Amino acid sequence: MTAEPQICTLCLGDSPSTVRMTRVPLGAQCRVCTLPFTLYHFKPSARSHTLVKTVLCPGCASQRDVCQCCMRDMQWHVSIEERDQIVALVQGDDTDTTTPAARNSMMKRFLARKGGKLGGAKVTGDAAALAELVERMRGSIARIEGELQEESEESKGPGDSDRLASVDISKILARLPLSQPLTADTHTRSFLLYNIPQTLPEWRVGDAVARVAGAADWRDGGTDSLVVNHRAGAGGVRFASDALADAFVAGLLRAGEVSAHGHGVLRVDQFRVHVAPWRGGFSAGSFGGSRDAQAKLCVSLRRFVAMGGAKGSSGVDTKAAGRVGKRNKGRGAKGSKGRRATSLEL
Amino acid sequence: MQSWRSRRARRQVSESDLPSGVPPQNGLTFNVWYNKWSQGGSGHGRERFVSPFRLDTRRDPGTTLAGSDARFCLYFARGCCVLGPKCTYLHHIPDESDAANPLFSGSSDCFGRQKFAELREDMGGVGSFNSHNATLYVGGISGALNGRALKPAQIESRLRFMFTRLGSIERIRYVEDKNCAFVKYRRQLSAEFAREVMMNQTLLLPNDREWDQRLEGAGLLVKWARDDPNPEAQQHQRQNDKKHMLQLLKTIVAGAEEKEADTSKAEELPEPKDTLSPFLQQAKKRLHARGIELEPALKRLRADTTEIEPR
């Protein structure tokens, strides 16, 4: 009558053969179907503090081919969602691989009573089908990589619509250090990052900065050390010390890639993020306060990148860049650090 | 910054600083069983509050008495663990080594609390095991500022300042019109941890004029976010999911190959070598990093031990 519980090796711990289990008949409510089931609980090892309990009834667990304790797939130890997606990817169609989740309690019980296998478990729960799937896996990796390559064309971001035409971002542009080239004798802690694609997560930028600077703890703890505004496609990075910032500049120059505007190029995956020294410093608001301003900044920065070395044509960027250049030169001559340099706008 | 591994955890508060377990009186008799006052007004009292404690991400993390299968300390996350170095739960911010730990990706959250099939109606609480969600909704911002009017850029800056310290951020978006923000973490583990840390916290800083009155505010409301309805964002999500699946697929294939190699080796050798499971190897590595060496467990010879075959 009492069948053995379906528990994976990860939950059972290092010595599965000597685990002592306690059985409680009808001891808990199944998390999926809400029906009572025979609860087992145990300690994975004699010294562990935690008590592991079964949370699913055996029926629901075998329908999904998951562990009764951690609800991970018995074969690959991934979540049900991930397992279903893997099966769908390898098979190339996702019509029959999603595990249905009922929302009302009557339907939950009905699904549980029906038996059989659900979603991706139809494949992974069946030895023959699983063996076939594993055979196909190796071949499908190359295919999926190819698909990803095709899809990974850079996203367009906001378009140059009429709505944006009336937005004035000259003040924001005037503060961006677009005319400052990145050279070996740039000594500043803050840098502007632009040409950041919409899809690039902030932590990837942070990792790339750490890699180039050659230090994992480059962040300045007291302020916002990395700001990425995805709407504007721009961001700022601030180092904890001058030495780290110099190492970052040296790393960028060593890579040898320089943009047409004399800015450094930070490689993040296949993307090229441009880096300009930012003596004035930045805050979260440096990339525009409103949604429209950020979108317009994104458009004009993209145009700035596309323009490359061909300057002098019509475009708000050149004019603004010229203005910035003058301002910053004045500041550099005076030798004052600039009031905004360190004060984070809090 | 000094690594948390090289020092012992700090005691965040002393026992005498903890608030009384009895809530402020809003009834005639105190019900010991429910820890509530009864017979009186509407009974609930003030539901939203500002926590007087906060996790100090620089000073608090450190090693504790936690074993290899310990979860994170909920009181540590809320900034009020009185045990400090004697706590049997983990006292640090979730990092890369924890992300690989299978303990933190199962049916319970990083504090060991069981998840549910569905998200709560108000999107708060522990979360759901049916959907992967690493995005937090941050509301109640004006309450957390005690009604102080700040510029949108300043609010965003404060949110960034507080949330980036709790894990790898994918993106932060402050919605000016609705006065709320969405914080997307790289991992669900970080989101679970950050939700508990930032819930009911104030957005005021010690150099604000209102700092002394911060407990009179209403605290941040940090909940799970629903899926982003923006089609472009959904496209990104699908692509990211695909990348993640590809990664998983590669590890699975590599694992299968290893297994094949192992079985072919085992066929050659009559006596298979006793190898540790990947989970135990990881546990051993983690313990080693904390300076604890694992000894082989003594064979248990109890007669009533239930024998279970590993699947």
Side-chain angles (χ1 to χ4, degrees), chain A residues 2-324:
Chain A
T2 50
E4 198 174 83
Q6 178 167 302
I7 299 172
C8 69
T9 45
L10 294 186
C11 288
L12 283 173
D14 46 300
S15 52
S17 52
T18 55
V19 168
R20 293 182 65 195
M21 286 208 184
T22 311
R23 183 174 61 227
V24 189
L26 303 183
Q29 186 191 34
C30 172
R31 292 260 160 185
V32 169
C33 68
T34 72
L35 292 168
F37 70 100
T38 307
L39 168 77
Y40 287 87
H41 58 77
F42 60 94
K43 277 183 172 185
S45 74
R47 292 193 55 183
S48 65
H49 288 285
T50 45
L51 195 66
V52 181
K53 289 181 188 176
T54 53
V55 295
L56 290 189
C57 66
C60 285
S62 70
Q63 267 186 338
R64 288 160 182 76
D65 193 38
V66 292
C67 166
Q68 267 183 272
C69 299
C70 64
M71 296 190 59
R72 271 185 296 240
D73 182 62
M74 293 296 287
Q75 303 296 333
W76 303 327
H77 306 298
V78 295
S79 74
I80 298 176
E81 209 183 356
E82 287 168 340
R83 191 261 322 270
D84 288 354
Q85 285 186 31
I86 289 174
V87 172
L89 263 184
V90 174
Q91 289 190 334
D93 87 304
D94 54 357
T95 45
D96 202 25
T97 50
T98 39
T99 304
R103 288 196 66 87
N104 80 45
S105 60
M106 197 57 101
M107 200 60 204
K108 284 177 185 171
R109 289 172 201 190
F110 173 72
L111 265 181
R113 291 271 186 226
K114 222 166 66 167
K117 299 272 179 194
L118 296 175
K122 280 177 197 159
V123 177
T124 56
D126 178 21
L130 180 68
E132 197 202 324
L133 190 78
V134 173
E135 281 296 300
R136 286 171 65 180
M137 266 183 182
R138 229 153 290 175
S140 63
I141 285 179
R143 175 174 57 82
I144 297 163
E145 270 173 347
E147 281 173 23
L148 271 173
Q149 282 282 318
E150 274 173 35
E151 285 171 19
S152 69
E153 287 158 24
E154 232 173 279
S155 82
K156 297 290 171 286
D160 202 355
S161 68
D162 297 338
R163 190 168 51 84
L164 297 181
S166 60
V167 182
D168 179 29
I169 55 161
S170 55
K171 272 188 185 165
I172 303 163
L173 276 174
R175 294 200 171 163
L176 296 187
L178 290 174
S179 67
Q180 301 260 319
L182 188 83
T183 53
D185 55 350
T186 12
H187 297 296
T188 173
R189 285 193 197 179
S190 305
F191 297 88
L192 165 73
L193 308 173
Y194 64 97
N195 199 25
I196 300 176
Q198 310 269 315
T199 42
L200 195 62
E202 199 171 309
W203 61 268
R204 268 194 191 283
V205 180
D207 283 359
V209 169
R211 193 192 64 228
V212 173
D217 53 346
W218 55 272
R219 285 170 191 270
D220 179 4
T223 57
D224 284 342
S225 47
L226 177 64
V227 171
V228 174
N229 191 321
H230 286 96
R231 275 232 180 90
V237 60
R238 185 184 286 122
F239 287 92
S241 69
D242 290 329
L244 282 169
D246 290 346
F248 178 63
V249 173
L252 280 181
L253 293 176
R254 217 178 307 125
E257 252 186 303
V258 179
S259 80
H261 298 280
H263 295 161
V265 173
L266 179 67
R267 280 267 177 191
V268 192
D269 295 344
Q270 76 271 35
F271 304 114
R272 296 166 47 123
V273 175
H274 294 214
V275 184
W278 203 343
R279 295 222 164 71
F282 63 90
S283 75
S286 299
F287 311 102
S290 70
R291 186 188 173 133
D292 285 348
Q294 288 165 5
K296 181 145 185 193
L297 181 62
C298 182
V299 170
S300 42
L301 279 176
R302 212 183 311 133
R303 212 183 294 146
F304 179 70
V305 173
M307 206 161 51
K311 286 178 187 177
S313 62
S314 69
V316 60
D317 313 298
T318 11
K319 270 192 277 170
R323 233 182 296 143
V324 179

Side-chain angles (χ1 to χ4, degrees), chain A residues 19 31 48 50 69-70 72 74 81-82 145 147 151 198-199 201-203 221-222 224 228 231, chain B residues 58 69 102 105 107 115-116 132 157 160-161 165 169-171 173 186 236 242 244 250 306 311:
Chain A
V19 168
R31 292 260 160 185
S48 65
T50 45
C69 299
C70 64
R72 271 185 296 240
M74 293 296 287
E81 209 183 356
E82 287 168 340
E145 270 173 347
E147 281 173 23
E151 285 171 19
Q198 310 269 315
T199 42
E202 199 171 309
W203 61 268
D224 284 342
V228 174
R231 275 232 180 90
Chain B
R58 288 180 141 190
D69 62 345
S105 59
S107 63
K115 289 186 198 167
F116 298 87
H132 172 90
S157 184
R160 261 183 186 284
F161 185 77
R165 272 147 189 73
I169 294 278
E170 197 147 323
R171 63 179 61 202
R173 214 184 106 205
R186 180 185 178 185
H236 295 166
K242 214 168 181 181
H244 176 62
K250 278 179 183 168
T306 316
R311 263 181 67 114

Side-chain angles (χ1 to χ4, degrees), chain B residues 129-169:
Chain B
F129 50 68
N130 275 333
S131 59
H132 172 90
N133 193 350
T135 315
L136 297 175
Y137 159 89
V138 184
I141 290 175
S142 62
L145 285 166
N146 288 22
R148 190 180 168 190
L150 285 181
K151 279 186 264 174
Q154 289 174 310
I155 296 176
E156 193 189 329
S157 184
R158 285 185 185 209
L159 288 171
R160 261 183 186 284
F161 185 77
M162 290 166 187
F163 281 92
T164 42
R165 272 147 189 73
L166 303 170
S168 304
I169 294 278

Side-chain angles (χ1 to χ4, degrees), chain B:
Chain B
M1 205 177 79
Q2 208 188 3
S3 167
W4 61 270
R5 286 171 211 277
S6 56
R7 61 169 184 235
R8 304 190 74 196
R10 194 175 73 99
R11 231 179 126 182
Q12 290 171 307
V13 286
S14 65
E15 235 156 312
S16 56
D17 290 341
L18 284 179
S20 151
V22 181
Q25 182 169 3
N26 55 5
L28 291 175
T29 48
F30 187 67
N31 188 333
V32 191
W33 185 254
Y34 286 108
N35 203 29
K36 266 182 182 171
W37 290 91
S38 52
Q39 301 176 25
S42 54
H44 297 299
R46 216 158 53 118
E47 280 181 357
R48 301 286 310 284
F49 64 101
V50 172
S51 163
F53 311 109
R54 172 179 289 178
L55 169 69
D56 185 339
T57 51
R58 288 180 141 190
R59 287 161 69 212
D60 289 346
T63 54
T64 56
L65 299 183
S68 60
D69 62 345
R71 318 287 175 118
F72 287 95
C73 177
L74 187 59
Y75 296 97
F76 163 75
R78 289 179 180 161
C80 56
C81 186
V82 290
L83 293 172
K86 288 179 187 156
C87 188
T88 52
Y89 292 84
L90 298 172
H91 274 213
H92 65 266
I93 317 278
D95 54 23
E96 286 308 295
S97 58
D98 300 308
N101 193 335
L103 264 183
F104 300 121
S105 59
S107 63
S108 55
D109 75 345
C110 67
F111 304 105
R113 302 176 295 183
Q114 280 296 324
K115 289 186 198 167
F116 298 87
E118 281 116 30
L119 282 160
R120 242 163 60 170
E121 221 158 77
D122 64 356
M123 301 300 277
V126 177
S128 155
F129 50 68
N130 275 333
S131 59
H132 172 90
N133 193 350
T135 315
L136 297 175
Y137 159 89
V138 184
I141 290 175
S142 62
L145 285 166
N146 288 22
R148 190 180 168 190
L150 285 181
K151 279 186 264 174
Q154 289 174 310
I155 296 176
E156 193 189 329
S157 184
R158 285 185 185 209
L159 288 171
R160 261 183 186 284
F161 185 77
M162 290 166 187
F163 281 92
T164 42
R165 272 147 189 73
L166 303 170
S168 304
I169 294 278
E170 197 147 323
R171 63 179 61 202
I172 294 182
R173 214 184 106 205
Y174 173 65
V175 185
E176 198 186 330
D177 310 336
K178 311 265 184 207
N179 199 18
C180 69
F182 293 93
V183 181
K184 187 172 185 188
Y185 280 96
R186 180 185 178 185
R187 305 183 186 286
Q188 187 167 358
L189 168 66
S190 302
E192 282 164 4
F193 189 80
R195 202 191 71 79
E196 220 34 83
V197 173
M198 292 311 293
M199 190 69 189
N200 295 320
Q201 291 289 340
T202 179
L203 272 183
L204 293 170
L205 298 173
N207 50 7
D208 286 332
R209 228 180 318 116
E210 295 88 343
W211 175 252
D212 294 330
Q213 284 86 47
R214 66 187 184 281
L215 296 188
E216 286 155 28
L220 278 184
L221 209 58
V222 189
K223 298 168 169 183
W224 295 107
R226 291 177 208 280
D227 287 342
D228 195 339
N230 181 2
E232 204 174 336
Q234 284 176 351
Q235 172 78 22
H236 295 166
Q237 190 56 46
R238 268 197 300 276
Q239 212 169 315
N240 278 349
D241 282 351
K242 214 168 181 181
K243 270 183 202 161
H244 176 62
M245 291 311 138
L246 187 66
Q247 209 66 41
L248 280 179
L249 205 56
K250 278 179 183 168
T251 49
I252 288 169
V253 168
E257 274 170 7
E258 220 169 78
K259 219 181 201 175
E260 267 171 35
D262 274 359
T263 45
S264 59
K265 239 187 229 170
E267 278 160 15
E268 285 165 24
L269 298 167
E271 203 71 10
K273 207 179 136 200
D274 189 9
T275 50
L276 297 172
S277 68
F279 178 69
L280 191 68
Q281 279 173 5
Q282 202 174 19
K284 203 172 171 185
K285 221 181 281 167
R286 282 171 58 105
L287 282 175
H288 181 73
R290 290 190 207 155
I292 307 162
E293 289 304 331
L294 206 65
E295 287 163 27
L298 291 170
K299 266 264 153 53
R300 311 248 251 93
L301 297 168
R302 294 280 294 265
D304 54 354
T305 300
T306 316
E307 297 277 328
I308 289 175
E309 282 291 303
R311 263 181 67 114

